[in-house]
Amino acid sequence: MLSTPPALIAVIGPIEVPLLATWVRHYRWLGIERLLIAFHFPEHVPDKQRHELQAACRELGVIPTGTSTGPWHEHTNTQLRDSLRHRAGPGWHLLADADEFQQYPAPLPEVIAQAEMSGHRVIGGLMIDRVAASGRLTGWRPEGGLDLAYPLGGHLTHRLLHGDPRKIALARHDVTVASGNHRAPGHRPDADRICAVHHFKWRSGVLDDLRRRVQHFSSGTWQERTPAVRDEASRLLDHVGQHGGVINISDPRFAFRRVSLDRMPFGWPAEARSIFTTWRPYAHTGQD
């Protein structure tokens, strides 16, 4: 017997309204019926933008579970997410940021049923970073869609930013998930069944967000547990600074190629397993 569809759990910041609408439609297409969303808006976000996002959310048939404002400390997401998970109650929880579009090789009920049959209490994902064909951090037109605007997918997060590309895409309600949804201590996903997490972060406006993040974490205005998030932002800013304001899509390390939300990337199971099982935290040196 197939299980009840998971509840989607998400903490959402000041994204553009079309992205929110596209994101909600994507997860409803996957079969998600219950969406628990909390908004968090840092101080720089205008009231008008907050109200537009909240209104758009309601128009999409989703009542925000909560809205908070203020500094975006590193622990802010985790606290809000865990509050949503508590409210969601028993069952499976799908964890996704608003720029993350999960992709599975089979219908979600089958994916969950397979995990339950094999005794897994978490299902893993691996980020595939989506960028424009030019490498520029551009905007996008809702009528064209994200696939058209950002047709290339590659491994920017861990091979340039030295960030953790692994995600806990789905977890049982009683499984503790670490900050950023990267790990679930004591639980290992099935490395042969890793979903693709299409990461549409590299859009117009992201550079300002990264500069703000570096500034606030460096000054202590936003609290951090480690310098990892700030370091990742600095690496992206340095990279585009060295390449005329664009991401160097021709760098073979990143393995950029054309991908789509309509079909799994070619050779994904082997590629995802290789990265998922060999990735290790970056060793910081004095040269960084």
Side-chain angles (χ1 to χ4, degrees):
M1 181 176 177
L2 297 178
S3 58
T4 302
L8 188 156
I9 307 294
V11 179
I12 296 178
I15 61 171
E16 59 270 37
V17 166
L19 182 64
L20 176 65
T22 303
W23 181 84
V24 168
R25 285 196 297 268
H26 173 79
Y27 283 102
R28 283 187 170 145
W29 180 79
L30 287 185
I32 302 296
E33 299 170 358
R34 190 177 177 211
L35 293 85
L36 281 79
I37 291 174
F39 284 109
H40 182 77
F41 298 111
E43 303 91 325
H44 69 275
V45 180
D47 288 346
K48 182 175 184 290
Q49 186 177 4
R50 288 195 294 119
H51 297 325
E52 286 177 351
L53 261 174
Q54 291 166 323
C57 192
R58 290 184 172 89
E59 288 174 9
L60 290 163
V62 181
I63 305 301
T65 301
T67 299
S68 64
T69 59
W72 205 315
H73 303 305
E74 191 172 345
H75 61 259
T76 298
N77 259 52
T78 307
Q79 291 177 346
L80 292 171
R81 181 205 65 194
D82 288 349
S83 176
L84 293 174
R85 295 193 67 197
H86 178 74
R87 182 181 289 257
W92 284 86
H93 297 165
L94 187 151
L95 310 173
D97 293 341
D99 58 10
E100 294 175 352
F101 287 61
Q102 295 177 8
Q103 182 185 44
Y104 294 87
L108 203 48
E110 294 181 22
V111 171
I112 291 173
Q114 174 61 40
E116 291 178 337
M117 285 189 294
S118 59
H120 287 89
R121 300 180 65 78
V122 296
I123 294 170
L126 184 77
M127 286 199 291
I128 180 165
D129 292 288
R130 300 292 297 269
V131 302
S134 64
R136 298 191 179 280
L137 296 128
T138 63
W140 61 290
R141 292 181 174 275
E143 59 269 23
L146 291 167
D147 272 343
L148 183 64
Y150 310 103
L152 302 183
H155 301 297
L156 194 71
T157 293
H158 63 300
R159 292 183 179 160
L160 173 65
L161 309 186
H162 302 151
D164 190 344
R166 305 167 303 170
K167 302 292 282 193
I168 298 298
L170 288 144
R172 294 288 297 176
H173 69 278
D174 54 353
V175 171
T176 299
V177 178
S179 173
N181 303 334
H182 293 295
R183 297 180 301 107
H187 298 271
R188 287 184 178 274
D190 184 344
D192 291 317
R193 298 178 183 274
I194 302 297
C195 81
V197 181
H198 292 256
H199 189 213
F200 290 97
K201 180 173 184 172
W202 313 112
R203 314 183 315 281
S204 176
V206 71
L207 296 183
D208 288 339
D209 289 341
L210 295 179
R211 293 186 187 102
R212 189 179 297 112
R213 183 175 295 183
V214 170
Q215 176 186 352
H216 288 329
F217 280 139
S218 298
S219 68
T221 305
W222 294 359
Q223 299 168 13
E224 61 183 7
R225 289 178 176 148
T226 75
V229 174
R230 175 163 40 109
D231 290 347
E232 291 174 28
S234 296
R235 288 191 185 95
L236 193 284
L237 292 169
D238 289 345
H239 176 84
V240 298
Q242 294 166 11
H243 293 90
V246 306
I247 293 168
N248 181 15
I249 59 172
S250 62
D251 190 321
R253 291 178 300 162
F254 308 148
F256 278 116
R257 72 281 199 188
R258 290 192 173 267
V259 295
S260 169
L261 289 170
D262 292 334
R263 58 188 177 278
M264 297 296 294
F266 178 76
W268 182 255
E271 179 181 7
R273 177 184 173 82
S274 174
I275 296 171
F276 208 94
T277 57
T278 61
W279 187 88
R280 296 293 182 273
Y282 180 70
H284 296 270
T285 70
Q287 283 75 41
D288 290 345

